[in-house]
């Protein structure tokens, strides 16, 4: 968070995403900030991570420059797409939440999302169940539950 406060780099770049992951998890995992090399049940083929990540960032930049989506929808789409790529072996959920909030604050000048809503999103609880169900709906191209989840007081 201190690093984020100091950092003035472009948020919507793969460099920034990698640096943030390294800063978040570098003390815990020596591979923090390095892309996944093996398949998981979530995420694209590891071979496709660099290109997919670049495509996401380019699209997200385009969305902000052309006001393609309202800020909350851009954040929901960005978060979901990033966890769907699943660039790293672990920490993707937590990383993608902070990426989306940083985009909101620094690219859109908007307030971050209250993702956890007073719960611990890492633990099993109703909020987590709603969150995962919303991501699965987004996998099936239905963004409505994730939008509800992102909205202030939404999903509760
Ligand atoms: N069906 C799904 N589609 C897209 N993303 C999903 C799906 N199921 C789970 N996820 C995302 O993947 C994350 C789990 O991946 P990973 O373990 O890399 O991240 P994490 O930050 O360690 O999260 P967690 O603490 O939940 O384990 C979830 O928190 C969620 O954001
Ligand atoms: Mg995990």
């Amino acid at each position: 968070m201190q690093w984020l406060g100091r950092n003035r780099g472009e948020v919507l770049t793969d460099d920034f995403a990698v640096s943030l992951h390294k800063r978040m998890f570098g003390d815990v995992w020596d591979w923090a900030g390095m892309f996944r090399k093996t398949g998981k049940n979530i995420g694209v083929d590891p071979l496709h991570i660099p290109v997919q990540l670049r495509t996401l960032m380019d699209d997200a930049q385009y969305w902000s420059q052309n006001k393609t989506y309202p800020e909350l929808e851009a954040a929901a789409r960005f978060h979901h797409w990033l966890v769907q790529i699943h660039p790293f072996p672990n920490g993707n959920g937590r990383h993608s939440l902070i990426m989306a909030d940083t985009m909101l604050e620094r690219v859109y000048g908007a307030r971050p999302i209250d993702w956890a809503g007073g719960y611990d999103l890492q633990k099993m609880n109703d909020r987590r169940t709603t969150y995962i169900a919303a991501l699965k709906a987004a996998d099936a191209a239905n963004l409505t539950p994730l939008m509800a989840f992102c909205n202030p007081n939404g999903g509760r």
Side-chain angles (χ1 to χ4, degrees):
M1 286 309 177
Q2 283 174 355
W3 174 79
L4 257 184
R6 288 195 310 270
N7 177 279
R8 290 283 166 272
E10 290 291 328
V11 175
L12 298 177
T13 61
D14 33 12
D15 268 6
F16 183 87
V18 162
S19 300
L20 177 64
H21 193 270
K22 199 179 265 171
R23 291 286 174 165
M24 285 178 72
F25 299 112
D27 290 344
V28 192
W29 303 315
D30 54 9
W31 45 260
M34 282 160 69
F35 292 151
R36 195 161 51 78
K37 292 190 180 66
T38 54
K40 284 193 100 182
N41 55 348
I42 314 167
V44 302
D45 187 309
L47 280 175
H48 297 155
I49 291 170
V51 172
Q52 287 271 321
L53 196 57
R54 178 62 67 88
T55 307
L56 165 61
M57 295 303 176
D58 287 353
D59 274 25
Q61 283 177 28
Y62 180 94
W63 299 344
S64 76
Q65 283 155 11
N66 296 280
K67 301 192 170 35
T68 308
Y69 302 115
E71 59 211 24
L72 227 49
E73 181 171 352
R77 286 178 180 275
F78 183 71
H79 174 69
H80 172 250
W81 192 349
L82 191 52
V83 280
Q84 221 180 17
I85 297 171
H86 230 73
F88 307 104
N90 203 353
N92 292 283
R94 288 164 278 176
H95 172 261
S96 305
L97 294 172
I98 295 183
M99 282 296 294
D101 278 349
T102 308
M103 177 180 85
L104 278 172
E105 288 184 297
R106 285 177 35 184
V107 179
Y108 286 86
R111 292 179 52 182
I113 292 169
D114 181 17
W115 298 96
Y119 291 82
D120 183 348
L121 213 50
Q122 249 67 57
K123 297 215 178 85
M124 259 310 163
N125 53 46
D126 287 353
R127 182 84 178 153
R128 165 109 184 164
T129 309
T130 309
Y131 168 63
I132 299 293
L135 287 176
K136 285 187 177 157
D139 286 346
N142 174 14
L143 204 67
T144 310
L146 191 58
M147 288 296 300
F149 187 84
C150 290
N151 262 301
N153 308 312
R156 262 176 275 169

